[in-house]
Amino acid sequence: MGELTDAEVKDLFAEIDTDGDGVNRLRELREYGRTHDTTLQGMKLADFVRGADTDGDRRVTSDEFTSFFA
Ligand SMILES: [Ca+2]
Ligand SMILES: [Ca+2]
């Protein structure tokens, strides 16, 4: 990847995290996919979650999110 700056990644995370709890759940990602493009950076959301959710709890924390884009 590497197409987004740190600030853009933070903005994107905050945009997806609609309830502002610092975790992007699958539900929030799905919601984001509904209201925006169905893909995130050219990836299907399910693939994104699989790739970014390193501990496999189906939630993408800001740490997981930023290291995915780093
Ligand atoms: Ca959230
Ligand atoms: Ca996780």
Side-chain angles (χ1 to χ4, degrees), residues 52-61 64:
D53 178 24
T54 46
D55 63 1
D57 65 355
R58 301 208 139 226
R59 296 183 296 193
V60 181
T61 62
E64 288 172 331

Side-chain angles (χ1 to χ4, degrees), residues 16-25 27-28:
I16 299 170
D17 184 21
T18 47
D19 63 3
D21 67 351
V23 178
N24 282 343
R25 298 169 210 286
R27 173 174 54 78
E28 289 172 313

Side-chain angles (χ1 to χ4, degrees), residues 2 5 13-15 22 25-27 29-30 37 42 48 55 65:
T5 66
F13 185 88
E15 209 180 320
R25 298 169 210 286
L26 205 51
R27 173 174 54 78
L29 286 155
R30 283 219 188 92
D37 209 337
F48 170 77
D55 63 1
F65 195 84

